[in-house]
Amino acid sequence: FSNGNGVKGSDPLFDELAKEVSAMSDFSTHEAMFFRLDTETNCLYMIFVHSTKRGQAQGGTRLKYEGYEKLEGAIMDGMRLSKGMTDKNSISEIWWGGGKAVICPLTMDIFNEIDKHKMENKDKIYLNLDLRKSVFVNFGKFVASLGGIYIAAEDMNTKTTDMLTILSVCRFVTCLPPEVGGSANPSGWTAQGIFKSMLATVMHFENKNDLSGNTVNIQGLGNVGLPLAELVLKSGARLNVYDTDAEAYETLASYGDKVKAVSANEIYTIQSDIFAPCAIGGILNKDTIPLLNCRYVIGAANNQLRDFDEDYKLLNARNIIYLPDFFINRMGIINCANEQYGRLENDLKDEVEKVYSETLELLADCDATSKTPQEVALKWATEKGEILHPIWGHRSIQLLNNYIARTK
């Protein structure tokens, strides 16, 4: 534990917190969790490290308040997301472990002030750059203090420019702008991976190589949902879409009646072949699954299942094929996996094709074993997650032990 003033050491309150965290349903032998209250910006920084067997913990840094009003909500989300990154990095055969970071302002007002923006030429331009810069400078110093256990990346409400701010004080960061040798925003590649999974699914079940005649429901037209929508439309599908931002629909206006804007509830209930959640996590649960009117769930959002142990069973009971998010939305992390070694576009094209071929392999395995895609994909990820880094072994656990020794 480290407070915002640099005073480090144990605290009885954190001993009690550790006991409570280890009893939570989402705790899965996480190696470490780090907390720092930044008094300058009134933000709580949290870094969650699930496993570092394959390498340093890597995963996005999100800026969020809603849903984190209580510390429990932030901790549970951080644990689930970091475990998901272990599975995603493992299934992608990247030499990284799983981690996640959260920057949580202490009030919604503070979040709004940090995230304040205006619409100018359809681009979001931040107004209060001084405050935002302080948030990410101080967070970068926090990441640096861990000595390489965690590597930051872009995520919800964060940008490549924020990653550049982190780089000014910390070398452990990815998703940097191209002008400094980074891989930039990975969303376009994530969309391509999701689209390839859709194509593989209709090939497996319908024996066709495009989405002509299919209807796709996309929930969320953000950085991934919007390019995915265009890929789906160009493949011949019809589209139902929902987003909280009315301006998000403007880009799709040229497709005419092939696109229909629907309500928040209709995106679940209106008939479709594919439901693609591309916004927040936890949207597949005991309340929403009975509403679904689709054959397949193939989307980009992280942690789509609210209850990992039960919700995929509910989907299976309704004969809805669910492709696990960590298996199909991997292209984002693959995009920035080797920034430090240089980035080749052809590598990414090859990896997109692997998403297609491995989705076919996954579905064939399900047929052979009578298991769900969730069960098979988790088995593959768990097996690969036990493989130690070929050069460094379980080095980050040594970094963690050194950190503990330094801060006692």
Side-chain angles (χ1 to χ4, degrees):
F1 165 69
S2 175
N3 67 21
N5 298 316
V7 179
K8 301 170 183 177
S10 61
D11 188 302
L13 288 176
F14 274 74
D15 291 339
E16 185 62 29
L17 178 62
K19 292 179 183 178
E20 292 187 16
V21 167
S22 62
M24 290 180 178
S25 59
D26 291 305
F27 180 76
S28 177
T29 61
H30 287 70
E31 292 179 358
M33 300 174 200
F34 302 92
F35 300 82
R36 175 176 289 181
L37 177 61
D38 184 50
T39 54
E40 179 184 352
T41 61
N42 287 315
C43 290
L44 178 62
Y45 300 148
M46 293 168 275
I47 294 175
F48 301 85
V49 176
H50 175 253
S51 172
T52 57
K53 291 179 180 179
R54 292 184 66 92
Q56 295 159 285
Q58 212 278 3
T61 297
R62 57 180 48 192
L63 173 66
K64 184 179 176 184
Y65 177 76
E66 288 185 301
Y68 294 167
E69 293 88 346
K70 293 184 178 180
L71 184 61
E72 180 184 17
I75 291 176
M76 289 181 66
D77 208 21
M79 287 196 295
R80 295 187 74 180
L81 290 164
S82 58
K83 168 62 166 62
M85 288 309 303
T86 295
D87 293 334
K88 188 182 302 186
N89 291 337
S90 298
I91 211 74
S92 305
E93 299 185 298
I94 296 171
W95 295 115
W96 272 343
K100 206 75 174 181
V102 171
I103 298 174
C104 182
L106 297 187
T107 68
M108 190 67 198
D109 287 343
I110 296 172
F111 171 84
N112 288 334
E113 186 63 24
I114 295 168
D115 201 47
K116 191 176 180 182
H117 61 265
K118 64 178 180 179
M119 299 301 293
E120 184 175 288
N121 298 322
K122 297 185 179 180
D123 292 323
K124 292 182 178 180
I125 309 299
Y126 293 105
L127 297 176
N128 52 337
L129 293 179
D130 289 342
L131 175 57
R132 192 174 181 94
K133 184 174 181 180
S134 295
V135 168
F136 286 94
V137 164
N138 294 354
F139 175 74
K141 291 177 180 178
F142 181 38
V143 174
S145 73
L146 304 185
I149 298 171
Y150 167 73
I151 300 174
E154 186 180 359
D155 202 308
M156 181 183 294
N157 297 322
T158 61
K159 306 291 182 183
T160 55
T161 50
D162 300 322
M163 301 303 105
L164 189 59
T165 299
I166 293 173
L167 182 65
S168 69
V169 294
C170 172
R171 66 185 297 269
F172 303 114
V173 59
T174 59
C175 296
L176 294 161
E179 56 266 28
V180 296
S183 61
N185 188 314
S187 302
W189 288 104
T190 304
Q192 288 193 46
I194 301 300
F195 176 64
K196 287 291 186 178
S197 293
M198 291 180 178
L199 292 180
T201 301
V202 298
M203 171 57 75
H204 180 85
F205 289 103
E206 303 174 28
N207 195 31
K208 62 179 187 177
N209 57 14
D210 61 21
L211 299 181
S212 59
N214 292 113
T215 300
V216 179
N217 291 0
I218 295 184
Q219 182 188 52
L221 291 174
N223 288 336
V224 177
L226 190 55
L228 176 62
E230 297 198 80
L231 289 169
V232 163
L233 287 164
K234 289 174 182 176
S235 186
R238 300 186 66 84
L239 190 62
N240 298 313
V241 293
Y242 169 74
D243 194 279
T244 56
D245 184 357
E247 295 183 7
Y249 301 110
E250 292 181 5
T251 305
L252 303 177
S254 62
Y255 292 95
D257 62 3
K258 291 186 68 177
V259 180
K260 180 181 180 180
V262 300
S263 69
N265 189 65
E266 284 179 310
I267 201 66
Y268 295 105
T269 60
I270 194 168
Q271 192 280 327
S272 68
D273 297 286
I274 302 173
F275 174 61
C278 296
I280 60 173
I283 54 87
L284 295 175
N285 52 65
K286 62 182 179 63
D287 298 317
T288 60
I289 292 172
L291 302 177
L292 291 176
N293 189 10
C294 63
R295 299 179 63 186
Y296 321 112
V297 174
I298 307 170
N302 288 317
N303 290 342
Q304 295 165 28
L305 304 179
R306 184 172 295 171
D307 187 325
F308 287 145
D309 293 328
E310 298 299 326
D311 290 335
Y312 81 87
K313 295 178 184 177
L314 295 177
L315 290 165
N316 193 46
R318 297 200 56 211
N319 295 315
I320 296 174
I321 302 299
Y322 166 71
L323 296 190
D325 49 85
F326 69 84
F327 187 86
I328 61 175
N329 70 6
R330 67 178 95 164
M331 284 305 304
I333 197 68
I334 289 174
N335 179 67
C336 65
N338 290 317
E339 275 188 18
Q340 65 269 44
Y341 301 117
R343 180 174 171 275
L344 295 173
E345 196 87 353
N346 285 339
D347 288 349
L348 295 171
K349 293 176 181 178
D350 291 343
E351 290 293 337
V352 166
E353 293 306 319
K354 277 182 64 177
V355 175
Y356 179 85
S357 62
E358 290 183 4
T359 301
L360 288 175
E361 185 181 350
L362 175 73
L363 295 172
D365 199 325
C366 292
D367 288 347
T369 62
S370 298
K371 293 183 177 179
T372 66
Q374 174 82 0
E375 291 170 318
V376 174
L378 276 175
K379 178 178 180 291
W380 290 0
T382 301
E383 290 172 353
K384 293 179 180 181
E386 292 298 313
I387 301 173
L388 297 181
H389 192 286
I391 297 175
W392 300 112
H394 203 172
R395 178 181 174 87
S396 287
I397 203 71
Q398 300 174 48
L399 295 174
L400 175 60
N401 290 333
N402 287 343
Y403 176 85
I404 294 171
R406 290 199 317 268
T407 54
K408 279 184 176 179

